[in-house]
Amino acid sequence: MADNKVQLTKNDRIKVWVRSNFLQGSWNYERMQNGGWAFTLIPVLKKLYTTKEDRAAALKRHLEFFNTHPYVASPILGVTMALEEERANGAPIDDVTIQGVKVGMMGPLAGVGDPVFWFTLKPIIGALAASLALSGSIMGPILYFVVWNAIRLGFMWYTQEFGYKAGSKITEDLSGGILQDITKGASILGMFILPALIERWVTVDFSPVKVSTIKQASGAYIDWDKLPKGAAGVKEALVQQKAGLSLDKYKVTTLQDNLNQLIPGLAALIITFLCMWLLKKKVSPIIIIFGLFAFGVIMHVLGVM
Amino acid sequence: MNLNAIQMILVVIVAFLAGMEGILDEFHFHQPVVACTLIGLVTGQLVPCIILGGSLQMIALGWSNVGAAVAPDAALAAIASAIILVLGGQGRAGVSSAIAIAVPLAVAGLLLTIIARTLATLIAHVMDRAAEEGSFAKIDLWQIIAICMQGLRIAIPAALILAVGAAPVRSMLNAMPAWLTDGLSIGGGMVVAVGYAMVINMMASREMWPFFALGFVLAAVSEITLIGLGAIGVAMALIYLNLSKMGGSGNGGGSNTGDPVGDIIDKY
């Protein structure tokens, strides 16, 4: 049998990579990504096992519970492919080992995938694309789609290959602290980026509230009546504005101006902390979302926001 | 604005794609900036739809499916509000009321998602039976059926809105008073915080809060772009990990301190 080994080719691995794009298709509340996981591995199982009994057994062991971040499933797929290949060639690898590797890797890797992809990469690319799109530029959506998929597909292919080559050794690798480091590093990145996102994208604006209206001394504002007529007047006004003169006779300070001088983004931060507290009190996010909408409407009607 | 038959079919196809991606989360056709643009492309209302997509993307930045939790449904929100924007025929002026409609739709979409994921449990059992027979073809078939079911989750509501037609949609939009739409868009600005709060609750630990403070202060410097902040964050994470290992070696942390890769190589 030794010279009659079944080997997975690059072509097989590419097929798995393509199928891994549909991993979550049959996501269900009972065993989550199990159907997609079996679906993704089918090219490999088809090649490695030929009898009906072997195929049934292989499908059954890959229909067990599985759930992780969809992109970091790729290294786990790679390792599982290597294990299945060894098993088909007679190595003593039982169902428990394979299931153990899957379960052992999926939790920690989800801890990497969520902060890196969902909470760092997606907001960065999304915010960049959205700001382009807000001006009506088609580059926004194109940029989002191309950059996101290039990073994602590249990551999935290379980590799947890495997992396949590392094979069963990877479990040693991951318990050796590398994975813990990656998880911790990803959390640091996430915790650093999140407040920036809160400050820049959560908008709480108290501009309608005027704190003070002060009449400014003459010479501190542009006296529109004294400007020459026509283009000369426009030019003079621009020159005066550049010299630091105010546009209006009255200087209006809003509550928002005061808050910005104190701590920019303070209100957004308070709202976020309030949400965190409510979530910890087991208030449903849906109720919080509706509550914030109601709050927005009420404050607007009252003329505060 | 009324759409012709070909445009309607294309809209339903785009909705189907977005519904598939709503569960797959891979190609991201369901992200508002992409989904709204595609609707705009097939209906010839590109620019207003791109602007709508950009605005909704801002709101949806923090919406992600973590673990078994389901985020508000960006797919339904993006597709339905873009169709309503197109049918309303107000162009750019209609964007803010479309946003006001989008967010309740995102929440309604949650229910559809939960129903679809529960139905998929039945599919999992059918797959079990296919496995007994050792039938790869049947597993493939049911995986595809499951994906199509998720596509229909958005395609059917989209077709319903198209069937209702432009006139009722327009009168509904006109019936919305300004205080309500403005108020809802103010609320939309704050709703973003809910997604972020969920993540912070997940990642926060005593060790992590100083990074939160740093990020908050540095974000006020508007010259630093998000990419710049990302680079600072990566750099700090690397520095922190290295320094914490140096500290650990003093406590006699065993063989696992300096170079974990080296340790593994040694073992083999």
Side-chain angles (χ1 to χ4, degrees), chain B residues 5-80:
Chain B
I6 296 168
Q7 285 174 320
M8 286 191 184
I9 292 167
L10 287 173
V11 165
V12 173
I13 291 172
V14 170
F16 189 84
L17 266 180
M20 276 171 54
E21 273 301 313
I23 187 81
L24 295 175
D25 235 335
E26 303 274 354
F27 293 97
H28 278 196
F29 287 117
H30 70 300
Q31 290 296 313
V33 73
V34 179
C36 293
T37 304
L38 288 175
I39 295 284
L41 202 64
V42 298
T43 56
Q45 298 252 320
L46 191 55
V47 174
C49 285
I50 293 176
I51 296 172
L52 174 67
S55 322
L56 288 178
Q57 190 70 44
M58 285 290 185
I59 296 177
L61 281 182
W63 294 355
S64 295
N65 295 320
V66 176
V70 189
D73 189 3
L76 185 65
I79 295 289

Side-chain angles (χ1 to χ4, degrees), chain A residues 75 78-80 82-83 86 105 159-174, chain B residues 268:
Chain A
V79 174
T80 310
L83 290 176
E86 287 178 45
M105 287 177 79
T159 54
Q160 186 189 306
E161 285 289 282
F162 172 76
Y164 177 69
K165 277 165 193 151
S168 46
K169 270 178 284 183
I170 205 164
T171 40
E172 293 277 336
D173 241 46
L174 296 180
Chain B
Y268 280 87

Side-chain angles (χ1 to χ4, degrees), chain A residues 77-91:
Chain A
L77 281 168
V79 174
T80 310
M81 277 153 65
L83 290 176
E84 283 289 352
E85 190 179 19
E86 287 178 45
R87 180 186 166 123
N89 286 316

Side-chain angles (χ1 to χ4, degrees), chain A residues 19 21-22 26 30-31 52 56 71 119 122 141 144 148-149 152 181 184 192 195 199-200 203 286 293, chain B residues 25-26 28 37 63 103 110 125 128 131 133 140 143 184 189 199 207 212 216 219-221 224 229 245:
Chain A
R19 280 181 177 234
N21 283 305
F22 303 97
S26 56
E30 191 182 294
R31 274 168 285 163
K52 194 189 160 197
Y71 309 165
F119 303 122
K122 187 178 146 195
Y144 183 87
W148 179 262
N149 284 297
R152 179 182 70 81
D181 279 0
K184 196 184 242 181
F192 179 74
E199 182 166 318
R200 293 192 182 178
T203 36
I286 305 301
F293 273 109
Chain B
D25 235 335
E26 303 274 354
H28 278 196
T37 304
W63 294 355
V103 178
L110 255 177
H125 286 273
D128 283 344
E133 301 166 24
D140 282 354
Q143 178 78 4
L184 284 174
V199 194
E207 213 179 342
F212 187 89
F216 188 73
V221 185
I224 308 178
L229 287 170
K245 266 184 213 134

Side-chain angles (χ1 to χ4, degrees), chain B residues 2 12 20 23 28 36 44 77 80 87 99 108 130 137 139 156 167 221 224 236 239 243:
Chain B
N2 288 306
V12 173
M20 276 171 54
I23 187 81
H28 278 196
C36 293
L87 290 180
I99 293 169
I139 301 266
I156 292 173
V221 185
I224 308 178
M236 284 201 311
I239 294 169
L243 285 180

Side-chain angles (χ1 to χ4, degrees), chain A residues 55-264:
Chain A
R55 289 185 164 187
L59 281 175
K60 266 194 241 168
R61 73 174 163 269
H62 288 296
L63 280 170
E64 294 291 331
F65 175 89
F66 186 79
N67 196 41
T68 189
H69 184 284
Y71 309 165
V72 298
S74 291
I76 313 179
L77 281 168
V79 174
T80 310
M81 277 153 65
L83 290 176
E84 283 289 352
E85 190 179 19
E86 287 178 45
R87 180 186 166 123
N89 286 316
I93 296 170
D94 57 7
D95 294 5
V96 181
T97 313
I98 292 177
Q99 189 61 13
V101 168
K102 280 163 63 181
V103 174
M105 287 177 79
M106 71 188 191
L109 279 175
V112 175
D114 288 333
V116 170
F117 284 100
W118 290 162
F119 303 122
T120 304
L121 218 52
K122 187 178 146 195
I124 288 177
I125 302 174
L128 195 65
S131 45
L132 285 171
L134 284 177
S135 60
S137 162
I138 184 87
M139 279 316 292
I142 292 176
L143 177 110
Y144 183 87
F145 190 72
V146 171
V147 173
W148 179 262
N149 284 297
I151 293 175
R152 179 182 70 81
L153 289 168
F155 175 86
M156 285 163 66
W157 172 249
Y158 285 107
T159 54
Q160 186 189 306
E161 285 289 282
F162 172 76
Y164 177 69
K165 277 165 193 151
S168 46
K169 270 178 284 183
I170 205 164
T171 40
E172 293 277 336
D173 241 46
L174 296 180
S175 57
I178 298 179
L179 195 54
Q180 282 157 341
D181 279 0
I182 298 175
T183 313
K184 196 184 242 181
S187 301
I188 291 175
L189 183 61
M191 281 299 272
F192 179 74
I193 288 286
L194 278 166
L197 298 175
I198 292 166
E199 182 166 318
R200 293 192 182 178
W201 308 123
V202 179
T203 36
V204 189
D205 190 2
F206 295 105
S207 292
V209 183
K210 293 183 179 63
V211 176
S212 63
T213 309
I214 303 162
K215 189 179 178 204
Q216 305 194 73
S218 68
Y221 58 92
I222 303 169
D223 199 337
W224 297 96
D225 297 337
K226 288 183 185 163
L227 291 174
K229 278 201 163 59
V234 175
K235 189 183 166 199
E236 179 63 23
L238 287 171
V239 169
Q240 288 190 8
Q241 200 215 1
K242 205 175 177 194
L245 267 64
S246 168
L247 290 176
D248 297 304
K249 203 170 181 177
Y250 297 94
K251 184 172 193 276
V252 179
T253 308
T254 64
L255 180 56
Q256 192 62 39
D257 294 333
N258 283 354
L259 284 174
N260 283 349
Q261 272 169 10
L262 189 65
I263 303 172

Side-chain angles (χ1 to χ4, degrees), chain B residues 98-148:
Chain B
I99 293 169
I101 297 168
V103 178
L105 281 171
V107 179
L110 255 177
L111 285 175
L112 290 176
T113 307
I114 291 169
I115 292 170
R117 287 180 175 205
T118 310
L119 285 175
T121 311
L122 300 175
I123 292 182
H125 286 273
V126 177
M127 283 182 170
D128 283 344
R129 253 175 286 154
E132 303 271 351
E133 301 166 24
S135 167
F136 291 142
K138 277 190 188 162
I139 301 266
D140 282 354
L141 176 71
W142 282 98
Q143 178 78 4
I144 293 164
I145 290 174
I147 295 172
C148 290

